[in-house]
Amino acid sequence: MFCKKRRLFSTLLILCLLMWGFASAETGFSPQPVIRDEALTSNPQPVASDEPLAAAPSDATAEEEPEPVAEAPYEGLEVYFLDLGRVDSILIRCGGENCFIDVGFKENAKAAVKFLRAMGISHLHSYVGTHGHFDHIEGTPQIIDAFRPDRMYFSHLGAINAVIDCADAAQQEVIAATEKVILQPGDSFTVGEAVMTTLGPLKVKNVNTGNTSENDNSLILRLDYGHRSFLFTADTTDKVLRAVNAQFPGKLNVDVFKNPHHNGAHDEDVIDMIRPAVTVICTDDGHQPTKAYQSLLAAKGSRIYITGPKNQGNVAIVSDGQSLEMRCGYSVQGVVLESVPKLHVGQEYDLKVTVDPADALIPQTQLGWNSSDPSVIQVYNGRVRAMGEGRATVTAVAVNGVSGAVEVECWLAYVTLDQSAMNLAVGQTKKLGAKITPSDAKGVSGTWMSEDESVATVEGGRVTGVGEGVTRIVARLSNGAEAACDVTVKGRMATSVKLDRRKAEMKVGDNLTLSATVEPADFNADDLEWYSSDESILWVDQSGNITAVKPGKAKIAVVASEGVYDVCAIRVK
């Protein structure tokens, strides 16, 4: 049998084997905040189907399926009050940006750096040094050196000089290269979508980093996120707070109040100005607020959270702009994340977490989350979303810094076709096969489309020639991946072809021209294809002209359309 005919039969066999479809691989604002001690409600598992998907009809343009949308936003405000002793050490995270306020002494900075790194933080967008007392800023150089903030905020130049005095030569170079801003009342800056506004001090005076009067120079900052607000007061005094309230009436009234001067007690009229729903007291076990002060706060409707191992330990407050969720506790000893199956772009997955001991947190999902590469994997409250191809490490961190991690791999699911080019006649249909990789990609759907339906249409992978011309048949996945086949449509399909002879004899060097009759009569003769079973014996051009090369037997075939051909057997003497 001649070689081209074998290829034709093979093509027919392949087309039969490729008769398969394009399948699936797969409330309103309340004036008072809602305060919860439990975790935010987790989202349900996404639903995926393994059932084959119907192809887009050939007379309609297929719409891509929308990307899955998380029920909870992949953002929010997190404020951590770290338990490092009788010091302020506060982390604020929002919208992918990080701000750190004070830190304490040098010995506190080491623990703060460890905690921030456990939270997946490698860079600060801003650092705030509230005033020049060493119990607030002595460890600042270590924070600046480790996380290289974009800028540093202070209340006065003396506080900047105090930080420099605490730094070694290398740290001084880093501080010198960092933008430094002295905040004035009314100034503001952002942490993601949250806005930090300076309320005080109204006037800096008696700058002396070794004197208690420096407390009056403390920055007073109000943080607003949605309908929720926080007040950071450093070591300021009641006298200064009264003056600020007179200058900015009502601005001291917030949801969360960071108690000034650690465990210091404050007058009733000051608490009435603030009216906090939550008061956070940053202190150690040896310096607790008095029972009388705690009773006053409770009588004013404020819930009290105190850092320190014998109290709440690290205190974290999470807000979606409406509610406040309190996360605190020190009893977690281990966090383990179970392995995650390979995800495809757009897929979501709820991570499975085991906390040791099992009753350490109620519920166990009171954890902070971060991804080593948000362009690959985003994570919010234990649910991951695959964003791009690659690998990323997802870490869950308890409020005491104990963490667990798992590597997540994301596939960019893609589609391939079994043909990159196809020739058709008008009215002819051929099957185009598609394959989705990976084969177990859940929730991925696929559709077919023709870029020019006046040339060719497609339905379920079956391509039909409509009119002469060139177009592309596209297989497109719901995640945007696609593959295409170039289709050329020529004339009408032949129904029969006959040669003017079925047998012949030739001598070496002789020439012979075969003639073909094709039905229908308007078939374009230029579309005929001529083949020799052995070109070392017989050679034929695409007009049917044959040359005898050497003695032997061979066959000449003419192909009009797929499956429509005729053969002439020739003996060369």
Side-chain angles (χ1 to χ4, degrees), residues 296-312:
L296 172 63
L297 290 170
K300 298 297 181 180
S302 183
R303 297 176 64 176
I304 306 167
Y305 292 82
I306 306 173
T307 60
K310 293 183 180 179
N311 288 291
Q312 279 78 44

Side-chain angles (χ1 to χ4, degrees), residues 472-529:
R472 289 200 325 155
I473 299 299
V474 179
R476 180 172 295 157
L477 300 185
S478 54
N479 67 0
E482 65 180 34
C485 176
D486 296 318
V487 175
T488 301
V489 180
K490 293 182 179 180
R492 292 183 57 80
M493 183 177 178
T495 57
S496 69
V497 60
K498 287 186 178 182
L499 292 172
D500 58 347
R501 60 176 73 189
R502 305 298 298 274
K503 294 182 181 181
E505 288 188 356
M506 300 177 67
K507 293 180 181 180
V508 174
D510 283 354
N511 294 312
L512 175 67
T513 299
L514 293 176
S515 177
T517 302
V518 188
E519 293 292 341
D522 61 351
F523 181 85
N524 187 354
D526 292 337
D527 290 336
L528 292 173
E529 295 180 343

